[in-house]
Amino acid sequence: MVMRPRDERELAEAIRDSAGPLRVVGGGTRPVCAGAGVVLETGGLAGVRLYEPAALTLVVGAGTPLAEVEAVLEGARQRLGFEPVRWGALLNAAGESTIGGVVAANVSGPRRLQAGACRDALIGVRFFDGHGEVIKNGGRVMKNVTGYDLVKLMAGSWGRLGVMSEVAFKLQPAAAAEATLLLEGLGAGEAVAALSAALGSPYEVSGAGWMPDAGAMLRLEGLAESVAYRVARLSAQLARFGAVRVERDGAALWRALGEVEPLQGLAGAVWRFSVKPSEAPAILARLGCPVVLDWGGGLIWAVLPEGVDARAKAAPYSGHATLMRGPGVVFEPEMPGVAALSAGVRAKFDPRGIFIGSEGA
Amino acid sequence: MQMPVPNPAILARKAAIVAALRAVLPADAVIDDPHETRAYECDALAAYRTQPLAVVLPRSTAEVAAALRVCHGLGVPVVPRGAGTSLSGGAMPSQDAVILGVARMAAVLEVDTANRFVRVQAGRTNLAVTAAVEGAGFFYAPDPSSQLACLIAGNIAMNSGGAHCLKYGVTTNNLMGVTLVTMAGEVLEIGGPYADAGGLDLLGVICGSEGQLGVVTEATLRILPKPEGARPVLIGFGSSEGAGACVAEIIRAGVLPVAIEFMDRPCIRATEDFAHAGYPDCEALLIVEVEGAEAEIAEQLGLIRQIAMRHDPVEFREAQSEDEAKRIWLGRKSAFGAMGQINDYICLDGTIPVSALPAVLRRIGEMAAAAGLQVANVFHAGDGNMHPLILYDANLAGDLERGEALGAEILKLCVEVGGCLTGEHGVGIEKRDLMGAQFSGADMEAQMRVKDVFDPGWLLNPAKVFPLALSAARRG
Ligand SMILES: Cc1cc2nc3c(=O)[nH]c(=O)nc-3n(C[C@H](O)[C@H](O)[C@H](O)COP(=O)(O)OP(=O)(O)OC[C@H]3O[C@@H](n4cnc5c(N)ncnc54)[C@H](O)[C@@H]3O)c2cc1C
């Protein structure tokens, strides 16, 4: 069964009347994954509620398609700084990402290492808890410490605390110019040191990744003269790692990195490691499988045969690994005391245990 | 301001409580002599003072845990404390509470420039964090004006901001992990030197929880490479509207200044008399700072000049030297001190949408006039975080109360226009009873449920943040 509330009142009712389990999905046509549950689709809660370019503020219905949000912002030469990316092709999921789904999974692209994650750009939420009661937190201003920050808690909660109906962001102006430096000769393991050197420079790198054909990739954005200056300086600084090629139009490359294009269509389970970047080379050597790197090596995408315990293979590492495609989404187990707090928070927001998580990203 | 009645049963057991703390902590880590505990009777909201039951000053996470286990076992409230620079009464004790100060825990635990983080004990001052990584060419971005004194622990609890947060974000955007000791004495590692949480973002809710969820003893902080240079400009305007419109246009244009600070005439006058920074005589001024190499600075300032010229500035002053740059910042940096010279003041901290700036400034002027009080404005204009300073005379009966009443009205105005009660100073005791202006009962209930999970007995900094009437049942 699929429920598609058209407004907050219907959403509240749907939750109140449900005995669960409820599977919140971001909207669109995506087939429901294996697993029980009534589908609660948020596509009816769509539309721009407030857009104030001069204040860099956007408030939208959580079910608004990501593409629509992007189109609205592009019209005013602005953007979501965290660079939302689409994992659909990688995860074999059809359907269009919604902005609420992006928030629920805290989906952040290459610019995350400079501009912060989705959770950092999110400044307000309205959501319905397991009682069907509306709760708002944060607001529409970028500096706000009034009460607890439940906004962060909702970002990356995978629909397990409640159903978001409205989300507010702080925005960035689009960059006037950009350039990409490519060190095509570097393998994944070797690339990390070069990425780290660039990120330790004052040249404000806004993307640092590695893909099989592109090699190490570094992005510089900003005003035109500033970008030209930094391209020259950073190229010189990185020359010791190998030949540097400057790509003026790198948009397609960064999109491919964000969407993990090189791993799309490979058979097997897709894992996502968030680690200390300097650990990446050793982890890659132990994994010995196709990979893509982002965030200076701090984010590793890996494809392994199904059934292989990637964590055991990659260990030791600090950070966490998530099985993103395979039999369901599986998170890294938390330290017991922390897991108890997380479980406690879930039980408070969803005392009947009706939310079984989001598939909306 | 109303304060909860201290629990007489705890007051009566003071000797036993102090003895129990002494049994698990070194002798010099427990203070109960009223002469010595007096130093902890208030924070920077100094109009409100109370002697705590006792003060403990542990030197390690293990000692923090031991102290908390004792207090938990005996049902004694605990108020965590950093440097006591809170402007909202966040670190203010109650008579039946033990102050747990982390100032003796100031060590640097790990500097890792390859992965761009530093791990410190939470009792280190904000400025000393940057000092620890500066030699390697890095800095810690959040820079509250109190950074010489305030501790990372307090910054995390208040999610503090600073002049440069327009570009670099506030504490929560630069915090990667903490060691947290729960009220029950359990030591937890939350987050670490890698991106984002694996499970629920508990770190996100711990930051800004005003010492109510746990005691932070260590922190992993993101550090950034130092920019090649920085330069401020000062732009004077004939009206606040002109300054407000200029801010909006700079933001839209895609220049990303690190700071845009605003001062109005009363504030300019007072700081001139005090600091002699040589500010122009005008209705409002902006200080805009940009960063980068020489050519990058020139490019950004060129754009800012173009924009400013469209708003009839009475002056556009570019710093030509290090010394001139210092003078431009001098007045702004001494603004609070200058106001303190003339008068006692209440420092408000509401945030408004930047588009509402001119209208709100006008309205504040009217409200102040009606109340017969002076208000000076100095604030972070880029993000709408206002700091109206209400001047009053502490020696004049009723003046503080009049000032507080005006403050409450101004903060409600901030909420009305789409903003909030506090942008960086926190709720503390100061604004807890205004929370209902911004939040519904359900909104606050949701927040209190989080505290229920971390601190079921409501022993940690219990009488803060939430309206007293609302938290009464939980505080027992
Ligand atoms: C002159 C002046 C200028 C200021 N400028 C700014 C500014 O620009 N930006 C800004 O944001 N703030 C500013 N402040 C406010 C204040 O400095 C900040 O709130 C600061 O972060 C408080 O740090 P502290 O160490 O003094 O904490 P305290 O005042 O001691 O405590 C603050 C809060 O933190 C809690 N706490 C302390 N230690 C711990 C711990 N270990 N674990 C858990 N909770 C703990 C306390 O219980 C309390 O609720 C200013 C204050 C002054 C006096």
Side-chain angles (χ1 to χ4, degrees), chain B residues 97 113 168 286 377 414:
Chain B
T113 52
Y168 296 113
L286 298 176
N377 283 290
C414 291

Side-chain angles (χ1 to χ4, degrees), chain B residues 355-443:
Chain B
S355 50
L357 226 116
V360 168
L361 286 174
R362 208 175 320 120
R363 188 79 194 100
I364 289 178
E366 292 163 9
M367 291 159 81
L373 289 165
Q374 270 224 34
V375 176
N377 283 290
V378 45
F379 56 87
H380 315 302
D383 48 33
N385 188 189
M386 308 188 73
H387 290 315
L389 304 177
I390 302 175
L391 309 184
Y392 72 98
D393 182 350
N395 296 319
L396 204 68
D399 224 32
L400 170 63
E401 289 71 20
R402 257 206 308 285
E404 286 182 341
L406 173 61
E409 289 315 305
I410 292 175
L411 291 183
K412 284 183 198 157
L413 172 67
C414 291
V415 174
E416 247 166 60
V417 301
C420 65
L421 298 170
T422 169
E424 57 182 17
H425 294 167
V427 177
I429 57 167
E430 193 198 19
K431 292 172 282 272
R432 63 187 170 201
D433 290 303
L434 286 174
M435 287 282 280
Q438 188 175 329
F439 293 115
S440 71
D443 297 340

Side-chain angles (χ1 to χ4, degrees), chain B residues 43-44 79-87 90-91 100 102 122 143-146 149-163 210-212 214-217 336 345 380 387 424-425 461 464:
Chain B
D43 53 28
V79 176
R81 184 178 176 103
T85 66
S86 169
L87 289 165
L100 191 163
V102 294
D143 58 342
S145 326
S146 51
C150 66
L151 310 187
I152 289 300
N155 293 176
I156 293 170
M158 290 312 197
N159 189 14
S160 300
E210 305 202 13
Q212 291 198 305
V215 175
V216 174
T217 58
F336 286 12
Y345 66 80
H380 315 302
H387 290 315
E424 57 182 17
H425 294 167
N461 218 4
K464 311 286 169 73

Side-chain angles (χ1 to χ4, degrees), chain B residues 62-144:
Chain B
E63 287 183 9
V64 169
L68 286 170
R69 272 193 294 271
V70 166
C71 293
H72 186 249
L74 297 172
V76 181
V78 171
V79 176
R81 184 178 176 103
T85 66
S86 169
L87 289 165
S88 59
M92 189 200 165
S94 60
Q95 248 175 295
D96 56 3
V98 168
I99 288 269
L100 191 163
V102 294
R104 285 180 179 172
M105 303 175 61
V108 175
L109 303 170
E110 188 180 359
V111 176
D112 185 337
T113 52
N115 293 304
R116 298 169 302 285
F117 73 85
V118 57
R119 205 157 60 81
V120 297
Q121 283 188 311
R124 194 167 182 84
T125 65
N126 175 292
L127 202 57
V129 171
T130 286
V133 297
E134 206 162 35
F138 285 78
F139 73 110
Y140 174 61
D143 58 342

Side-chain angles (χ1 to χ4, degrees), chain B residues 24-39:
Chain B
V24 298
L25 294 174
D28 70 344
V30 184
I31 304 173
D32 73 322
D33 177 342
H35 294 295
E36 290 178 62
T37 57
R38 166 140 308 147

